Amino acid sequence: MLAGRTTTEELLAYLVAFDTTSRNSNLELIAFVRDYLAAFGIESVVVPSEAGDKASLFATIGPSGVGGVCLSGHSDVVPVDGQPWTSDPFTLTPKDDRLYGRGSCDMKGFIAACLAMVPDMAAGRLSTPIHLLVSYDEEVGCTGVVPAVRRLGVDLPLPRACIVGEPTSMRVVDAHKSGIAYVTTVTGREAHSSMPQLGANAIFAAAELVGELDRYRAELVAAGDPSGRFDPPNTTVQVTVIQGGTAGNIVPRDCAIRWNVRGLPGFDEDALLDRFERFGREVVLPKLRETAPEAAITTDFIYKVPPLAPQTGSEAELLALRLAGQNRTYTVAYGTEGGHFQAQGIPTIVCGPGSIDQAHKPDEFIEVAQLRACERFLKGLIAECAG
């Protein structure tokens, strides 16, 4: 185990070396963080997943029983499969003031910077606590943080502000869209392709549903973004995967459509889903049931990431702007865990080192200068919490 002060770069090298691709366990990384904190006398609460193969970690530095500021980051990363890396993705590789490795930017760089500041936090005689939360399964729908967030204000302290350290180039982000993914499954009836009147073609039915989604997409583009803050400037609808059919001479019985909505804050996703399901029920399904009474159309959630809505003048916003030396906030197109904290009643912003432009790509990197900027931000936070 590490002893004494460890640099952000050294800690990032340890974190990157853990292959925490979302399909894998993150327990070794969580154990590493727990042991590192314990070396400074800081206790951690581990919040396991339902299956027990993953966990979040929550720790408090400073006094108990008062609100404090939560620094939150996810430990999982996206796959490297099929990507043309020029270095080992799980070995942190420095080159030209950049540090290359999977998760270096998204978002182990932020976690490493937080851990590097722990000695200062522990020695800082904090009057306001700083909480650390390391989560899992952000990359597959922001689901892993939910069990821990639901305990905040119950058997874990309720922070009065939260900073989610996703890569924003250290800009203060106060809003992002929601992200909701669905799978719609169409069940028809198989038949020989020379006798289509005996079957019910699930792919034809799915095509009608896709056409309806495209009409929604066009309407949302036309409606635009009243706030004028988002890029792209509207709620978006995308069909991402279609799977159906078994052979070239069989009327297809099954077809599945994966689609998603990224909604502006305040967008009514339920109304869109109700409209889509009504179209399937009233327009598409009757055609299938002319020959296949057993035909069905079902739509299920895959995941739901709540939006982050602006909270102008909130403690989180004012604190982050002050620490970052900025006077305006920004929006991002991607989703984060921030909406879950906000839904728990915690004012939340997103601010972290690195650029989202480097995330999820081969040769992902973070600039050393971004880590230094994050350290300055955190040192300012420690000074405020000590004051």
Side-chain angles (χ1 to χ4, degrees):
M1 173 42 58
L2 300 175
R5 181 173 291 277
T6 310
T7 68
T8 297
E9 287 91 329
E10 290 170 332
L11 285 159
L12 182 54
Y14 279 100
L15 296 177
V16 166
F18 293 105
D19 181 358
T20 51
T21 305
S22 301
R23 63 190 173 220
N24 299 333
S25 172
N26 74 332
L27 293 181
E28 289 187 2
L29 182 147
I30 291 296
F32 171 84
V33 175
R34 182 193 61 213
D35 292 345
Y36 174 83
L37 294 173
F40 297 96
I42 299 165
E43 296 183 355
S44 304
V45 176
V46 174
V47 183
S49 65
E50 186 174 348
D53 60 338
K54 300 179 183 180
S56 294
L57 177 145
F58 182 88
T60 297
I61 302 101
S64 60
V66 291
V69 178
C70 182
L71 303 172
S72 181
H74 64 83
S75 63
D76 61 316
V77 298
V78 297
V80 300
D81 308 44
Q83 293 186 337
W85 284 74
T86 58
S87 61
D88 180 355
F90 298 107
T91 299
L92 191 69
T93 304
K95 183 180 179 182
D96 298 332
D97 296 321
R98 295 174 175 177
L99 302 172
Y100 291 83
R102 176 55 89 220
S104 57
C105 172
D106 185 17
M107 59 179 295
K108 292 179 177 179
F110 177 74
I111 297 173
C114 291
L115 294 178
M117 293 297 107
V118 163
D120 293 336
M121 296 177 190
R125 299 181 180 275
L126 302 182
S127 56
T128 297
I130 297 174
H131 311 287
L132 301 179
L133 201 165
V134 181
S135 66
Y136 63 95
D137 279 1
E138 190 273 349
E139 298 291 5
V140 290
C142 294
T143 56
V145 76
V146 174
V149 168
R150 286 177 177 167
R151 291 175 61 173
L152 300 178
V154 182
D155 64 334
L156 295 175
L158 182 70
R160 68 181 192 224
C162 179
I163 299 169
V164 177
E166 289 280 2
T168 67
S169 299
M170 294 307 297
R171 290 179 170 182
V172 178
V173 168
D174 70 336
H176 63 65
K177 296 178 181 180
S178 63
I180 307 179
Y182 305 91
V183 58
T184 297
T185 303
V186 180
T187 305
R189 177 186 287 179
E190 293 167 323
H192 195 286
S193 61
S194 68
M195 301 291 286
Q197 72 277 18
L198 302 180
N201 192 311
I203 292 179
F204 278 154
E208 287 193 80
L209 294 169
V210 170
E212 184 70 358
L213 290 173
D214 191 40
R215 285 187 285 275
Y216 300 160
R217 179 201 60 77
E219 290 176 17
L220 293 168
V221 169
D225 167 23
S227 76
R229 299 187 66 205
F230 285 89
D231 182 22
N234 53 273
T235 293
T236 62
V237 175
Q238 288 294 314
V239 175
T240 55
V241 179
I242 298 177
Q243 295 174 309
T246 53
N249 58 357
I250 301 175
V251 173
R253 176 181 181 273
D254 300 300
C255 189
I257 311 160
R258 288 178 177 261
W259 56 286
N260 65 60
V261 179
R262 292 187 178 269
L264 297 168
F267 178 72
D268 190 346
E269 296 99 348
D270 291 338
L272 186 149
L273 180 61
D274 288 346
R275 177 178 161 183
F276 175 74
E277 290 185 319
R278 185 169 62 253
F279 176 83
R281 185 171 59 250
E282 296 178 358
V283 177
V284 181
L285 192 57
K287 300 175 187 177
L288 289 170
R289 288 184 171 171
E290 288 176 2
T291 54
E294 72 277 17
I297 300 173
T298 60
T299 297
D300 299 299
F301 282 109
I302 301 175
Y303 63 79
K304 182 174 183 177
V305 179
L308 182 68
Q311 294 176 294
T312 304
S314 74
E315 181 169 1
E317 178 189 287
L318 295 177
L319 173 65
L321 288 172
R322 192 161 62 247
L323 296 176
Q326 297 169 19
N327 58 14
R328 60 162 293 190
T329 55
Y330 296 82
T331 65
V332 291
Y334 56 87
T336 77
E337 297 170 332
H340 288 300
F341 288 94
Q342 192 176 70
Q344 194 73 1
I346 304 167
T348 301
I349 59 89
V350 182
C351 183
S355 169
I356 198 65
D357 293 346
Q358 312 309 327
H360 298 192
K361 294 181 177 180
D363 290 342
E364 175 185 347
F365 69 83
I366 190 167
E367 294 179 349
V368 173
Q370 282 287 299
L371 295 178
R372 297 288 88 83
C374 185
E375 290 170 352
R376 291 192 294 272
F377 182 99
L378 294 171
K379 287 177 181 178
L381 175 63
I382 293 167
E384 292 229 1
C385 290

